[in-house]
Amino acid sequence: MWGMSLFSLLLTCFIMEQTLFNDYESRLKLDPELMAMRQEFERYKEGLRKKLIARYKLKPPSLIQAPKPVIYRP
């Protein structure tokens, strides 16, 4: 549970960074070091995701069918 919670925090930080980057992309994309760091982080994050899936034997969520509505008709 602890590992999955930490990964959830990592994903939250990733989304925040991505949102900030998208706001200032026209200027930030000119920095090659920053772009390399972002690519490295993306690779690390996806590698970690695969490790967690394998370690905890996670399965993708199944599609849950909604229950059929029950209408009372006298």
Side-chain angles (χ1 to χ4, degrees):
M1 186 65 136
W2 183 71
M4 298 304 295
S5 296
L6 282 178
F7 188 71
S8 178
L9 287 172
L10 178 73
L11 289 179
T12 302
C13 292
F14 171 74
I15 295 297
M16 290 172 52
E17 186 276 336
Q18 191 175 32
T19 302
L20 183 67
F21 180 83
N22 288 341
D23 288 346
Y24 299 101
E25 183 177 7
S26 60
R27 289 180 264 166
L28 294 176
K29 69 180 179 182
L30 300 175
D31 184 355
E33 186 177 342
L34 175 63
M35 298 306 289
M37 286 173 26
R38 293 185 84 235
Q39 288 176 354
E40 181 182 349
F41 177 70
E42 178 73 25
R43 284 191 302 272
Y44 175 78
K45 176 181 67 81
E46 290 306 315
L48 184 58
R49 181 190 312 266
K50 289 178 184 177
K51 285 180 186 177
L52 288 173
I53 289 171
R55 181 176 186 172
Y56 297 112
K57 298 175 180 75
L58 300 174
K59 294 181 171 81
S62 61
L63 297 176
I64 300 172
Q65 295 179 347
K68 294 180 181 179
V70 178
I71 299 174
Y72 176 75
R73 293 187 182 149

